[in-house]
Amino acid sequence: MACFLVPAAEAVVITVIKKSVKKKEISKINLKSDDGVPDIKTETGLSWSRKLNWLTNLLWGGVFLLAIEHIWHGEVVLRPPFLTAMNNPENIAPMLHEIATVGVSMAIFVTAIWSVMVLVSDYLYKTTAAFKHAMGEE
């Protein structure tokens, strides 16, 4: 019915946070670039704005596909009140229940998958950097 609204809300919040983080990272680069060479390396090799970009891509992609699926099944229409469940007061409670259970579960699952992606990428960067250091490449 409207389960995609929870990941959509999370995507909006994460997008705002990502823009703020990116702005801070750029200001740090500008501060360090007094010597003419910007230092964009981080401890893990990937900036937080890039990692947050992965999460927003996952969330917005899922929201888009779910919105298309809901439009396809007639649960979402392109005129007010947009959600067909809102036309009948008896359908509002099941819709809110679905948002609270399915929507929240999807948002938590996507965020958990993203967390694993970040942990794996950090681990791979550290092991690769240690390997290069051991081989004398850095």
Side-chain angles (χ1 to χ4, degrees), residues 7-85:
E10 182 182 357
V12 168
V13 170
I14 297 298
T15 300
V16 170
I17 291 171
K18 180 184 75 174
K19 289 188 184 285
S20 174
V21 168
K22 188 173 186 174
K23 188 181 269 186
K24 287 181 182 178
E25 289 173 347
I26 288 173
S27 69
K28 284 182 181 178
I29 290 171
N30 289 339
L31 290 174
K32 289 182 177 180
S33 66
D34 289 341
D35 58 354
V37 179
D39 183 16
I40 57 172
K41 279 192 170 183
T42 62
E43 279 184 26
T44 62
L46 294 173
S47 65
W48 268 104
S49 62
R50 177 174 282 195
K51 293 173 185 174
L52 289 173
N53 194 44
W54 296 345
L55 181 57
T56 57
N57 287 341
L58 287 170
L59 289 168
W60 283 120
V63 166
F64 176 74
L65 292 175
L66 282 171
I68 296 296
E69 187 268 338
H70 283 63
I71 291 170
W72 184 270
H73 288 106
E75 296 172 341
V76 175
V77 292
L78 301 178
R79 62 185 181 287
F82 302 109
L83 302 172
T84 54

Side-chain angles (χ1 to χ4, degrees), residues 96-108:
L96 293 176
H97 182 266
E98 181 182 310
I99 289 172
T101 55
V102 177
V104 170
S105 298
M106 287 189 308
I108 290 171

